[in-house]
Amino acid sequence: MTAPASASPASESVLSHRPFTLFWGARVASTIANQMQIVAVGWQVYQLTHSAFDLGMVGLVQFLPALFLALLVGHVADRYDRRKIARICLFIKGLAAAALAIGSIYGWLDKQAIFAIVFVIGATHAFESPTLQALVPGLVPARLLPRAVAWAASATQTAVIIGPALGGFIYVLGPSTVYTSSSVLFIGASLLVSLIRIESVLPRREPATLSSLLAGIAFIKSRPAILGAISLDLFAVLLGGATALLPIYAHDILATGPLGLGLLRSAPAVGALSTAIFLARRPLSRRVGRSMFIAVAVFGVATIVFALSRSFVLSLATLVVLGASDMISVVVRSSFVQLETPDHMRGRVSAVNSVFIGTSNQLGEFESGVTAAWLGPVPAVLLGGVGTVVVVLLWIRLFPTLFGLDKLVNPAAAPNPPAQPPSPATPTTT
């Protein structure tokens, strides 16, 4: 898949490219739907069970399908039209949300039914996430990729601000209202993706051999800096999973309700969105490796402060700082990985990246739930924050090249040569 030609050499706005604008809108709609659904599922499960372990199980049942399907979904993303894959995944998510709504209306939605539907959502997300990551470089000229990554992140964070607060507010009308709204948004996002038209080169569909399935892992292993960037974020998210315990903090520690939970869920996105917009306009130009490590360390410190806070206002402010620091790490890591990966490998590399990063959110939720069940919510979050800071210090010693990374490479100036001779393909515009 090749990036569309720029309309004008002087044009540097990623939003002037219609395919990316449609992608941005789809990302906003689907993430709002997902965040509304997360609030409703979390609150509903805790009301049903009052169990920190069951809150952690919500994350685990989403993590498992992504883990076991990782190698397959990357291969699929590199063999088939990524737009079609994303469109189908979003539509299935819409159906899953509709099932949650129907179950809530008719009263058969118990803990086991929620876990089963969430498992389907996790399996669908396993295909959707790496496909969308691999799709972005084909929507804009290569020179705009770092800005496109920042704008894509801003779409996510805009939705993360709106979605949880909106979900908490609508939950007053009942969980079925939240799930129905989510279903409509997922299907709308699917329609937006179907409108994307880009010039593409359809690759030869190589057979699904063990070598091709493992190609993403082999590629990352051969590049220590990429491995360091991905694994740093993995452990930061895994250890710093405070958001999994927000229903407990809202209900038992900060004494607030669903609306307060929605605001707490939105707070990290407030800091992340402002940072993403800033980086979209003024990308980091020097010492990007050092900046990423400092940002992850701040993330850990913010997690420690949140763990000890008993003030709703202080907790909100701390979560804003947590989100802002996390966004710096996300933009640097995502841009670096995409720029260093040739297009024919992006699906498989993105799939491995999704297991390390995307699914670490769900595994982190499970880890936080189990630790909170053993030690209590405050010690669980506190230990996670301390662990994050320790990992940063250790990774500086293990990956000095990544820490010393000065600037992101411009692929237009130093293109990645193809790893194999190009196969016959027919350019098409669809």
Side-chain angles (χ1 to χ4, degrees):
M1 202 173 286
T2 58
S6 177
S8 168
S11 175
E12 291 294 323
S13 172
V14 296
L15 296 180
S16 66
H17 297 267
R18 187 171 184 270
F20 184 82
T21 303
L22 291 168
F23 171 87
W24 196 91
R27 176 67 72 88
V28 170
S30 64
T31 309
I32 287 177
N34 190 59
Q35 292 299 316
M36 291 171 60
Q37 193 167 268
I38 287 173
V39 170
V41 168
W43 194 263
Q44 198 170 24
V45 167
Y46 194 62
Q47 281 190 322
L48 287 171
T49 67
H50 292 281
S51 167
F53 180 81
D54 285 330
L55 282 177
M57 282 296 296
V58 173
L60 181 64
V61 296
Q62 292 180 80
F63 167 76
L64 290 178
L67 175 63
F68 291 116
L69 292 171
L71 299 179
L72 175 62
V73 301
H75 192 80
V76 169
D78 283 335
R79 294 181 72 199
Y80 299 96
D81 190 325
R82 292 163 184 164
R83 293 160 296 172
K84 291 181 180 179
I85 298 171
R87 184 170 70 236
I88 292 171
C89 290
L90 290 168
F91 186 76
I92 293 175
K93 280 189 171 183
L95 296 181
L100 288 170
I102 293 171
S104 297
I105 292 172
Y106 291 100
W108 54 259
L109 194 68
D110 57 10
K111 179 181 72 174
Q112 289 74 20
I114 292 175
F115 288 164
I117 296 173
V118 167
F119 181 87
V120 173
I121 293 172
T124 305
H125 188 74
F127 283 89
E128 175 200 354
S129 180
T131 301
L132 289 178
Q133 288 180 40
L135 181 61
V136 173
L139 303 177
V140 297
R143 69 180 182 279
L144 296 182
L145 182 57
R147 294 189 178 191
V149 170
W151 275 114
S154 76
T156 300
Q157 299 308 322
T158 298
V160 172
I161 292 174
I162 298 172
L166 185 60
F169 180 77
I170 297 177
Y171 196 94
V172 176
L173 302 176
S176 62
T177 307
V178 181
Y179 297 136
T180 300
S181 302
S182 296
S183 179
V184 172
L185 286 170
F186 278 130
I187 293 174
S190 178
L191 292 174
L192 286 175
V193 171
S194 70
L195 296 176
I196 294 176
R197 299 289 184 268
I198 56 176
E199 183 180 285
S200 63
V201 176
L202 300 180
R204 180 180 61 194
R205 294 180 180 177
E206 57 180 304
T209 63
L210 181 61
S211 175
S212 67
L213 291 174
L214 296 174
I217 295 176
F219 181 86
I220 292 173
K221 185 179 178 181
S222 68
R223 287 159 174 78
I226 293 180
L227 176 62
I230 293 176
S231 58
L232 173 65
D233 199 84
L234 164 68
F235 284 103
V237 174
L238 183 62
L239 295 171
T243 55
L245 303 179
L246 286 182
I248 298 176
Y249 267 81
H251 190 277
D252 297 340
I253 297 176
L254 300 176
T256 185
L259 181 57
L261 173 60
L263 293 175
L264 290 171
R265 281 274 185 188
S266 299
V270 173
L273 175 61
S274 59
T275 303
I277 292 175
F278 177 82
L279 293 176
R281 297 181 179 277
R282 296 192 176 190
L284 294 173
S285 58
R286 300 297 299 272
R287 296 184 177 180
V288 294
R290 183 186 298 266
S291 298
M292 182 176 67
F293 276 92
I294 292 174
V296 177
V298 172
F299 178 90
V301 173
T303 301
I304 294 171
V305 175
F306 175 80
L308 301 175
S309 171
R310 295 298 179 272
S311 164
F312 184 77
V313 174
L314 177 60
S315 296
L316 282 176
T318 304
L319 290 173
V320 169
V321 174
L322 185 148
S325 58
D326 183 53
M327 180 50 55
I328 295 174
S329 172
V330 167
V331 171
V332 173
R333 185 199 71 247
S334 298
S335 299
F336 177 65
V337 172
Q338 293 286 9
L339 289 172
E340 292 291 315
T341 305
D343 184 70
H344 72 277
M345 286 290 300
R346 282 194 176 117
R348 281 164 286 186
V349 171
S350 295
V352 178
N353 186 41
S354 292
V355 172
F356 273 77
I357 308 305
T359 58
S360 64
N361 288 283
Q362 285 81 46
L363 189 59
E365 289 177 5
F366 177 68
E367 178 272 334
S368 296
V370 171
T371 307
W374 290 343
L375 304 176
V378 174
V381 177
L382 181 62
L383 287 175
V386 172
T388 300
V389 176
V390 171
V391 166
V392 170
L393 298 175
L394 180 60
W395 256 235
I396 291 175
R397 294 183 61 87
L398 291 177
F399 301 96
T401 302
L402 178 63
F403 181 73
L405 182 66
D406 187 46
K407 59 178 66 175
L408 297 171
V409 177
N410 185 346
N416 287 310
Q420 58 187 21
S423 58
T426 301
T428 60
T429 301
T430 58

